[in-house]
Amino acid sequence: MSEDSSVADAATLAAIRAELIDSYDEELEQEMEEDRLDRLDGVPLEGREPALSRGLYFRELLRLQHELVRLQDWVQHEKLRIVVLFEGRDSAGKGGVIKRITQRLNPRVCRVAALPAPNERERTQWYFQRYVAHLPAAGEIVLFDRSWYNRAGVERVMGFCAEADVEEFFRSVPEFERMLVRSGIVLVKYWFSITDAEQAFRFRMRIEDPLKQWKLSPMDVESRRRWEDYTRAKEDMLARTHIPEAPWWVVEAVDKRRARLNCIAHLLEQVPYGHVDHPPVHLPDRVRHADYIRAPVPDTMIAPDRY
């Protein structure tokens, strides 16, 4: 290897390291901004533990995300099918943990299903039908940001379905989930638990932060008034759908950092996975042709440099 090529390789590696550090710095800045907003007005809230240090949280998050990549490789290698349900009150932190799970995974392997309210046609279907369409094929992981348990929660509390529909749901859902498990699907169900005061605080944050106001829907606002109704519905749901084949796991979510780490660590424990060997990747030399000339890009097509 010539001295020039050694220098070029060293410069390339240095540039790669700088890019990696920059990407981690950007994520750390996002975490710091969340932390700053969480301390809005410095109001102490009931049920909050001493904050997990940012350094420990970030190191553990990166370690767990590395394990998630290993799990993803195993799922592809073994052709597994995994379904994870994320349920909880509005602002409980479901979206935050889903974001950290998917952050470094292949979206073709691990995808999120966040279904909107059913349309007129879907309201006439078998209740589970529109959810079945999003179940994974071999080698896939699907994370449901809310799931068929909408019927036991928001639909029941807000009066979008009759009590007879709720009772039919409770009769059907254990058999539906047993059927999924018998088919070979790994089904994991999480409920994110926060306090009354914590939800009020997070709603206030959304009201004050223009970048998060879109998260506060009229349904969310109404859910504050019906806190006790949602509590009764949640307790009934957990009691009647906690089955050996698909148990519920409650994540204490007042501390968002701990909730994310605890949930990811627990999820990794639900699927025994091993190491998958990958052949080394070698970049081939680019083919060059003497008659190739790169065409210039017209000025009218170039986005202006503003920064």
Side-chain angles (χ1 to χ4, degrees), residues 12 62 100 126 132 148 297:
T12 300
L62 291 174
R100 272 69 182 184
W126 175 49
V132 168
W148 44 86
V297 179

Side-chain angles (χ1 to χ4, degrees), residues 151-152 156 161-171 236:
R151 173 131 299 176
R156 183 183 195 182
C161 63
E163 273 301 307
D165 297 323
V166 176
E167 286 303 313
E168 177 55 36
F169 171 81
F170 282 137
R171 283 193 295 269
D236 196 22

